[in-house]
Amino acid sequence: MADKTMENLNDLSARETVKEVSDKKVRVAIIGCGWIAGAHIAAYKNQKDVEIVAGCDLIPGKAKAFFEQYGVEGVKTDYASHKEMIDDKSLKLDAVSICTYNRQHAAPAIYALENGINVMLEKPFTVTLDEAIEVMRAEKKSGKVLSIGFQPRMDANMQQIKKIVESGELGQIYYIQTGGGRRRGIPTPYGTSFIASETGGIGAMGDIGCYSLDMVLNAIGYPKPLTVSGYKSAFFGTDPKYCGYPDDKKAEYAKAFGVEDFAAGFVRLEGGIVLDFRIAWAMNLDTPGDTIIMGTKGSLRIPSTDCWNGTVGGPMKIYHEVAGLQTETIVPIIDSKVSLFDMKIRTFLDACKNGTPAPVPSSQIIYNQAIIDGIVRSAELGHEIEIEIPEI
C-alpha cells in the first residue's frame, strides 16, 4: 500500500506551521568532508539554532582543512573514524550529516542511530537493499530521526506534481515513464569516488536516478514495487577514449570505472501501475524522454532537463478533455528563491527538535532503494525478478 505517513509534511504550507519546542542549539557533526559536505555545512551555517561541533574523514587532515575552508572555528576533527568521533561523549551530539561515498553510507548511519543520534543521510539511501534494511532496523530500535537527502521534493514544482495527482485530475494512474540523464556527464571532477565500485557501488542510479524515481513515486504515494526487469551498461565509462575525461586521466578513469553509466527498468507497482525508468550519465542523445504520468482522465507531461538535477525542465502540461473536447492545460513553473538544501536541513532539524516524522522518511525511500537494487540484480541475472522487502 502507498505510504501515508508523510501526507502533511509533503505540503510545504504544513511545514511552515511546525513550531520549535525549544531554543536549544542542535549539536551537529559531519561525517565525510568531500564536496557534498560543503552544501551541508553552508546550510547549517544558515540556521541560528545549530552548533557545528565536530567532523571526521578517512583521509587524515581533510576534515580540519574542510572546516577551515568554510570558516567554522572550534570544531574537533582529530578522529580516525566515525566510530571514534561518535564515541566521544564530550561532544554531546544531537545529529550527524553523513556525506561519505555511497559504500560508506550504511555503517556510520547504523552506528550513529545505535548511539542515540539523529541522522541526515545523503542520497542514495545505501548501495543495496540489504544495507537499507539494516539501517532501518537500527532506526526503529533507536527511535531517532533518519531523513534521506532528497531536497528536490522540497521544490514547489515537485509539490505541484503531487497535488495534481492527488486532485484526481488525472484519474487512475496506470503508466509512468521517467528518468533522464546527461549526454556527457560522468562525474569525475572529484576523482574516482563516484565511478569506482569499491566507493560508489552504484553509478547513475545512485547519483541522479534516485531523484527521478522519488519525483514520481512521491507524487503517487510511494506504492510498493512488486517486480522489476532491469538492464545496466557501462559503454562510455570504460572507454579510454571517452571525451568527458581529462586527457591525462582517460586511461586511469576508464580502468577504475566499475559502476553503471546507463540503467533501465520496467517495474510493476502495487495498484496496477507500471513504471518505465531509464537514467544515463552518458549517451548519444540529448534526453531519453520527458517524464509522463498517464491516467484514465488525463496525463501529465513533465519536461526533462539538459542535465538532470532534480528540477522540472519547463512548464508542465496536462492532456485531458474539457466538455468533450481534447485540450491541454499549461502548468506554469513556480519560481522560488528558497534554497532547497536549506529547506532539507531545516526540516530535518525541526523533526529532531520537535519529535516529528522525518521529512524524507526511510519508509518511503526503502521502495526507491528496492527498485535500484532490483534493477542491478535483474540485470545480472538476465531476467525479471520479484522484489521482496521484509517486515522491519
Side-chain angles (χ1 to χ4, degrees), residues 20 23-30 40-53 72 94-95 97 345-346 348-350 353:
E20 296 175 7
D23 294 327
K24 174 184 176 292
K25 287 197 173 184
V26 181
R27 295 175 65 84
V28 173
I30 295 177
H40 281 249
I41 196 169
Y44 280 125
K45 287 175 67 177
N46 288 335
Q47 315 304 319
K48 294 181 179 179
D49 56 349
V50 168
E51 185 176 1
I52 304 170
V53 299
V72 181
D94 297 306
S97 268
I345 294 300
R346 183 66 257 166
F348 168 65
L349 293 171
D350 287 343
K353 296 182 74 170

Side-chain angles (χ1 to χ4, degrees), residues 88-108:
D88 183 354
K89 301 308 178 184
S90 71
L91 295 173
K92 299 179 181 179
L93 291 176
D94 297 306
V96 294
S97 268
I98 297 177
C99 305
T100 63
Y101 50 76
N102 298 345
R103 288 277 191 198
Q104 275 293 309
H105 278 195

Side-chain angles (χ1 to χ4, degrees), residues 92-166:
K92 299 179 181 179
L93 291 176
D94 297 306
V96 294
S97 268
I98 297 177
C99 305
T100 63
Y101 50 76
N102 298 345
R103 288 277 191 198
Q104 275 293 309
H105 278 195
I110 291 170
Y111 199 70
L113 290 165
E114 288 177 340
N115 281 270
I117 299 170
N118 300 295
V119 173
M120 165 54 69
L121 178 59
E122 256 307 322
K123 59 81 188 167
F125 191 165
T126 54
V127 171
T128 69
L129 177 59
D130 287 344
E131 288 175 330
I133 290 167
E134 290 306 308
V135 174
M136 288 184 69
R137 285 175 175 156
E139 174 197 13
K140 183 177 181 180
K141 187 175 180 180
S142 74
K144 292 297 180 178
V145 174
L146 168 66
S147 190
I148 318 300
F150 282 79
Q151 69 274 4
R153 73 154 67 178
M154 310 287 177
D155 178 63
N157 296 287
M158 297 298 180
Q159 298 290 327
Q160 188 65 26
I161 295 168
K162 184 174 179 64
K163 288 178 181 177
I164 290 170
V165 172
E166 291 180 339

Side-chain angles (χ1 to χ4, degrees), residues 116-289:
I117 299 170
N118 300 295
V119 173
M120 165 54 69
L121 178 59
E122 256 307 322
K123 59 81 188 167
F125 191 165
T126 54
V127 171
T128 69
L129 177 59
D130 287 344
E131 288 175 330
I133 290 167
E134 290 306 308
V135 174
M136 288 184 69
R137 285 175 175 156
E139 174 197 13
K140 183 177 181 180
K141 187 175 180 180
S142 74
K144 292 297 180 178
V145 174
L146 168 66
S147 190
I148 318 300
F150 282 79
Q151 69 274 4
R153 73 154 67 178
M154 310 287 177
D155 178 63
N157 296 287
M158 297 298 180
Q159 298 290 327
Q160 188 65 26
I161 295 168
K162 184 174 179 64
K163 288 178 181 177
I164 290 170
V165 172
E166 291 180 339
S167 73
E169 185 67 33
L170 305 183
Q172 179 181 342
I173 305 302
Y174 60 89
Y175 174 85
I176 297 173
Q177 169 186 299
T178 195
R182 307 162 182 164
R183 187 168 181 176
R184 292 291 184 274
I186 297 173
T188 54
Y190 309 99
T192 60
S193 60
F194 272 102
I195 66 174
S197 177
E198 60 268 25
T199 50
I202 47 178
M205 287 189 289
D207 181 28
I208 52 178
C210 60
Y211 279 150
S212 58
L213 287 173
D214 187 64
M215 174 172 66
V216 294
L217 293 173
N218 184 49
I220 63 175
Y222 257 101
K224 183 179 180 180
L226 303 176
T227 66
V228 60
S229 181
Y231 169 86
K232 62 187 179 78
S233 59
F235 295 116
F236 295 87
T238 57
D239 183 358
K241 296 181 180 179
Y242 172 66
C243 68
Y245 291 154
D247 288 341
D248 61 340
K249 298 286 187 179
K250 288 183 182 295
E252 176 188 341
Y253 285 0
K255 184 178 180 180
F257 199 92
V259 294
E260 83 288 345
D261 56 35
F262 176 80
F266 189 82
V267 187
R268 296 185 185 277
L269 304 171
E270 202 170 51
I273 303 172
V274 168
L275 172 62
D276 183 357
F277 165 75
R278 73 294 299 267
I279 199 75
W281 264 349
M283 57 185 170
N284 288 317
L285 198 65
D286 57 347
T287 174

